[in-house]
Amino acid sequence: MGISDPIGKVDHGQKTAGSALYVADYPARGVLTGRLLRSTRARARLVEISIPDLPEGYLVVDSKDVPGTNGVHIVLDDTPVFAHEYVHYVGDPILMVVGPEPVLVEQILGSIVVTYEDLEPVVDLEKSETAFFDYTIEKGDVSRAFQEADRIIEERIRTGYQAHAYLEPQGMVGLSHGGRITVHGSLQCPYYVHKAVVQAMGFEPDRVRVIQDVTGGGFGGKEDFPSILACQVAVAAHKAEKPVQVIFNRREDMEFTPKRHPSLCTYRVAVKDGRITAMDIDVRYNAGAYTTLSAVVLQRGIIGASGVYTVPSLHIRGRAMKTNTVPTGAFRGFGGPQTFFAIELVMEHVAGQLGRDPLGFKLAHLAKQGDETSTSGRHHFPVPIRQMVEEIDALSGYREKRKAYRHQSGRFRRGVGLSLAYHGAGFTGSGERDLIKAVARLHKRSDGVVEILTSITDIGQGSKTTFTKIVSRELGLPTSRIIVENPDTDRVPDSGPTVASRSLMVVGELLRRAASRLKGNWREGEEQMIEERFKEPDFVIPFSLETFKGDAYPAYSWSVNVIEVEVDTLTGVSRVLGAYGSYDVGTPIDEHIVTGQMEGGLLQGIGFGSMEDMTADAGGRIRNNSFSDYTIPTSVDVPNLQVRLHIEKYPSGPFGAKGAGELPLAGSAPAYVLAMEHALGTPLDHAPFTMQDAMGILSKETI
Ligand code: MOS
């Protein structure tokens, strides 16, 4: 059996039997319920908080109760555990009411009166004058290229919020016992949470323990936010001296937890003799009220702003702007999908203005192996996009349909769109080498069972299964002899967070190396512990965050997407007739898992491009806080989903594997909107492009 051949997921049994314990499933006896009192104002000074007399056993927890630092350690520490003096967005947590009866907790919450002194909020990205982060990428001679250009084309492209819409909302339990704090819950990154709780509690690291419960989806939404909630429950449990559980309902989760950053990108493109010679790009992301992960989200966004293309001269400025809205954070793709959406539309529109075929124009600018990247690093490995385009063209009939749908006049009109994209596999820049320094262990018990010890969390993406397959294969043992539990910081080393499509490529490779060493050194009947540490591959050109130069990523995963739509010109409703994707993630460690990730991501990206419409109102409040006000694609929305895997092995990944999880988000929204553009016969400039947007264009047509 090959490493790519599918096996049953190792955690399917308990999930399908209903015996898997999610955070809300833990016994409630003796556990107090916590509910957060949140700001109703977008920006205000807290003048007075009037709390009624509390019944026996009920308490209020606020910033004064934080024993350590009232700042949640994420990248910077500006997110308070509980608001102090000021609130900066609608939903900013002010305090927590804790007690045994959920109904009474809710009543107490409703009877607390907060007096605010309102301050002028900034809600609109374009009106914000505060940049949390401001980065510049420079390459070549941009001003000369613009002087010598025979044509300059300018475009503005926008994308909106996207909610993670994981099945399980955020939830966390804190326990205080014997001078220690234990936090367990729904989370992606046990050691991020650990560091945050250590700082908020002011404890030595060994007094904090973090355990991941079975987690019902993350998509990045459980990368940063659990650190905040963990600090809140830790402080509450410490004060109450009892376990405290906070489980968000769907409304609270959708309104007040991070989302994908809305973006506004302005492109100026210099063209000479039919080729793009330079781009001057301005990228602005709406970061919301606190910085959370905006620095790193923005970095990935600007690095990808020139897409899969080699542009000789580049000037890219990226800013993450503060607004008085809910902080935005990590979301599958991590800043990439916004700029990949923009560049794919820009390339199409520039080709159109030059009277060129868009696919031919894109391929003429495609990066090749050996080319410089946007950050003056290298494409060290083959760029397989051309072959993938041919494969998807054969599957979808793209080129033929592109011509056939040119002049349509009936009620139903069709269109096809194509996008090219990549995902830089692993952490951006030198983070893996300088910050994460991943460690993974294999513990061989005396009975010959091998336990995998890493801090990687399985949040549905299948890492327990792929890790098991790697270790089993390398050791030549059946998978039944390999075990992997949910991470517990008392037991597992820090292998880094479960983010950035790094888990399999980076930590999976550490496990493969550990297994290989264990095999060569196997001592029957003895307990053995094998440890491996991250080492940067030799070929990598060191990356500098000061100059934005060097290899931002060691390797890239690639995608080609085609989407075909049919628009009803009477109603504006569109239907996806087919969504096709060719993906190169190196060797798939499990074909079912990788195909599932690609299909899921393709669909999640179609949602981002077509229907997932979320906005903050003039007062800074998110109004789309349920699945009836925020619609996501369901299984009936895309019946014809076709995924193909193209394999370019990556020598530094386990068995040739690269990052996979985030790739499929990048290309689907641009392919969808370009298909709508083709069907409607007019250039479009934003995502989501909803049926109301389509109606807006169609109604103008008939006037
Ligand atoms: Mo992520 S969006 O790197 O969890």
Side-chain angles (χ1 to χ4, degrees):
M1 198 169 111
I3 189 79
S4 302
D5 293 336
I7 67 167
K9 271 186 169 177
V10 300
D11 53 348
H12 258 183
Q14 51 162 331
K15 283 184 178 166
T16 50
S19 61
L21 290 180
Y22 294 80
V23 61
D25 295 330
Y26 282 83
R29 203 146 55 89
V31 178
L32 305 181
T33 294
R35 290 275 286 146
L36 291 162
L37 179 79
R38 298 174 175 281
S39 169
T40 57
R41 310 302 168 90
R43 187 168 167 232
R45 193 171 71 83
L46 295 170
V47 178
E48 202 193 329
I49 300 170
S50 131
I51 297 166
D53 288 336
L54 298 172
E56 175 81 28
Y58 289 77
L59 61 153
V60 161
V61 185
D62 66 15
S63 63
K64 294 184 294 299
D65 298 307
V66 179
T69 309
N70 186 31
V72 181
H73 178 67
I74 299 179
V75 170
L76 304 179
D77 305 342
D78 57 320
T79 307
V81 179
F82 294 106
H84 175 66
E85 286 184 39
Y86 292 92
V87 284
H88 294 277
Y89 69 98
V90 175
D92 212 348
I94 298 169
L95 55 80
M96 189 192 289
V97 177
V98 175
E101 287 302 326
V103 174
L104 199 45
V105 167
E106 196 65 43
Q107 279 172 11
I108 295 168
L109 202 70
S111 63
I112 296 175
V113 179
V114 181
T115 312
Y116 299 94
E117 178 193 323
D118 281 315
L119 300 164
E120 193 59 44
V122 179
V123 171
D124 193 348
L125 167 61
E126 281 182 79
K127 297 211 175 98
S128 170
E129 287 171 5
T130 311
F132 280 141
F133 304 99
D134 187 342
Y135 300 128
T136 302
I137 296 178
E138 268 173 313
K139 194 181 98 166
D141 191 340
V142 175
S143 55
R144 187 161 154 197
F146 274 91
Q147 272 162 25
E148 293 176 355
D150 38 50
R151 202 138 173 200
I152 294 169
I153 295 166
E154 191 163 327
E155 291 265 335
R156 271 159 80 88
I157 311 283
R158 290 164 189 280
T159 62
Y161 283 113
Q162 188 182 19
H164 304 85
Y166 28 58
L167 273 175
E168 181 206 26
Q170 304 273 354
M172 203 72 75
V173 175
L175 302 106
S176 170
H177 51 96
R180 293 189 88 200
I181 288 283
T182 295
V183 173
H184 69 86
S186 186
L187 56 94
Q188 287 179 224
C189 313
Y191 276 95
Y192 277 3
V193 173
H194 188 268
K195 286 191 189 90
V197 173
V198 162
Q199 176 170 303
M201 297 306 296
F203 281 7
E204 289 300 311
D206 62 0
R207 287 176 63 197
V208 174
R209 178 180 187 184
V210 178
I211 305 167
Q212 181 225 0
D213 293 323
V214 178
T215 297
F219 307 111
K222 291 166 186 171
E223 173 173 344
D224 43 9
F225 190 80
S227 298
I228 304 169
L229 187 54
C231 290
Q232 291 161 346
V233 297
V235 171
H238 182 68
K239 183 171 184 182
E241 296 178 333
K242 282 198 177 141
V244 174
Q245 182 192 52
V246 178
I247 308 285
F248 286 180
N249 59 32
R250 184 61 65 180
R251 182 190 151 185
E252 190 173 20
D253 195 292
M254 287 189 92
E255 242 183 282
F256 305 126
T257 70
K259 285 146 239 319
R260 188 183 298 290
H261 290 64
S263 72
L264 169 61
C265 295
T266 307
Y267 280 69
R268 282 178 67 235
V269 180
V271 179
K272 187 165 175 60
D273 303 328
R275 281 193 72 83
I276 293 173
T277 51
M279 288 188 184
D280 182 7
I281 308 171
D282 182 76
V283 174
R284 271 180 282 169
Y285 281 2
N286 185 345
Y290 299 112
T291 61
T292 68
L293 288 167
S294 292
V296 255
V297 167
L298 178 66
Q299 287 164 20
R300 199 177 264 279
I302 59 172
I303 289 164
S306 51
V308 299
Y309 310 105
T310 294
V311 179
S313 294
L314 268 178
H315 177 268
I316 308 171
R317 183 180 185 194
R319 281 169 288 174
M321 307 304 294
K322 173 176 176 162
T323 60
N324 295 103
T325 54
V326 61
T328 44
F331 192 144
R332 197 174 191 179
F334 210 70
Q338 291 93 318
T339 49
F340 275 100
F341 178 77
I343 183 71
E344 284 304 284
L345 265 60
V346 166
M347 289 299 284
E348 191 103 356
H349 297 166
V350 171
Q353 292 210 27
L354 299 176
R356 300 271 295 275
D357 160 62
L359 176 55
F361 188 72
K362 285 179 178 180
L363 291 177
H365 291 85
L366 182 67
K368 300 182 299 296
Q369 182 176 17
D371 276 4
E372 260 197 0
T373 63
S374 63
T375 57
S376 313
R378 284 255 163 253
H379 284 290
H380 296 280
F381 302 102
V383 177
I385 292 262
R386 277 171 206 278
Q387 302 95 286
M388 291 159 67
V389 162
E390 294 313 318
E391 191 180 14
I392 286 298
D393 184 46
L395 194 64
S396 64
Y398 170 78
R399 285 191 179 99
E400 202 181 297
K401 288 172 181 168
R402 183 88 201 166
K403 289 200 196 90
Y405 300 159
R406 213 172 274 162
H407 306 287
Q408 301 170 84
S409 51
R411 173 172 165 188
F412 294 95
R413 290 185 209 163
R414 293 185 173 187
V416 277
L418 175 143
S419 70
L420 312 178
Y422 72 68
H423 187 79
F427 252 83
T428 299
S430 51
E432 206 64 66
R433 184 193 65 207
D434 297 342
L435 302 173
I436 306 297
K437 300 176 186 158
V439 180
R441 291 191 193 122
L442 286 178
H443 174 215
K444 180 193 143 240
R445 303 191 322 212
S446 54
D447 63 1
V449 168
V450 176
E451 186 180 8
I452 292 170
L453 295 172
T454 79
S455 58
I456 297 304
T457 54
D458 195 327
I459 53 177
Q461 88 283 36
S463 57
K464 279 186 176 176
T465 307
T466 49
F467 282 5
T468 299
K469 285 180 80 172
I470 288 170
V471 172
S472 132
R473 172 113 186 150
E474 198 68 36
L475 285 171
L477 288 178
T479 53
S480 57
R481 292 264 301 272
I482 317 292
I483 54 174
V484 49
E485 304 286 352
N486 288 354
D488 167 350
T489 57
D490 271 9
R491 298 192 63 235
V492 299
D494 187 352
S495 337
T498 306
V499 304
S501 303
R502 67 179 287 280
S503 304
L504 185 82
M505 182 179 85
V506 174
V507 184
E509 172 63 8
L510 296 182
L511 290 172
R512 192 199 59 77
R513 282 173 15 203
S516 162
R517 269 176 53 214
L518 177 60
K519 188 180 169 73
N521 186 25
W522 185 277
R523 294 195 293 272
E524 201 58 40
E526 273 182 44
E527 187 175 352
Q528 289 175 269
M529 187 73 90
I530 308 282
E531 181 177 286
E532 281 287 333
R533 290 171 175 271
F534 176 78
K535 191 178 155 295
E536 191 157 74
D538 294 336
F539 63 81
V540 170
I541 303 166
F543 184 83
S544 157
L545 255 189
E546 271 76 61
T547 59
F548 271 88
K549 288 206 186 305
D551 281 332
Y553 307 99
Y556 298 84
S557 296
W558 304 94
S559 75
V560 175
N561 285 116
V562 165
I563 289 175
E564 182 179 1
V565 297
E566 182 176 77
V567 186
D568 182 343
T569 58
L570 200 62
T571 61
V573 173
S574 68
R575 205 155 58 88
V576 175
L577 300 177
Y580 309 85
S582 175
Y583 301 95
D584 164 34
V585 300
T587 306
I589 295 304
D590 189 286
E591 271 169 13
H592 279 177
I593 287 180
V594 173
T595 304
Q597 285 292 305
M598 298 306 115
E599 289 179 347
L602 175 53
L603 193 52
Q604 198 169 32
I606 290 173
F608 176 51
S610 64
M611 62 174 79
E612 297 189 26
D613 198 7
M614 178 176 267
T615 47
D617 65 16
R621 172 158 214 157
I622 300 280
R623 288 298 186 185
N624 318 75
N625 58 18
S626 75
F627 286 130
S628 44
D629 294 317
Y630 181 79
T631 50
I632 63 171
T634 64
S635 52
V636 297
D637 292 305
V638 181
N640 183 19
L641 209 59
Q642 298 209 37
V643 163
R644 295 291 182 275
L645 303 179
H646 182 98
I647 301 172
E648 286 294 334
K649 289 190 178 188
Y650 172 49
S652 300
F655 302 99
K658 303 186 274 197
E662 296 175 280
L663 174 70
L665 230 302
S668 41
Y672 177 83
V673 174
L674 289 172
M676 290 299 291
E677 182 168 308
H678 189 215
L680 296 171
T682 184
L684 306 178
D685 62 4
H686 68 275
F689 187 79
T690 63
M691 59 179 117
Q692 290 88 333
D693 290 327
M695 214 48 228
I697 285 175
L698 289 162
S699 58
K700 270 188 224 134
E701 226 175 67
T702 49
I703 288 166

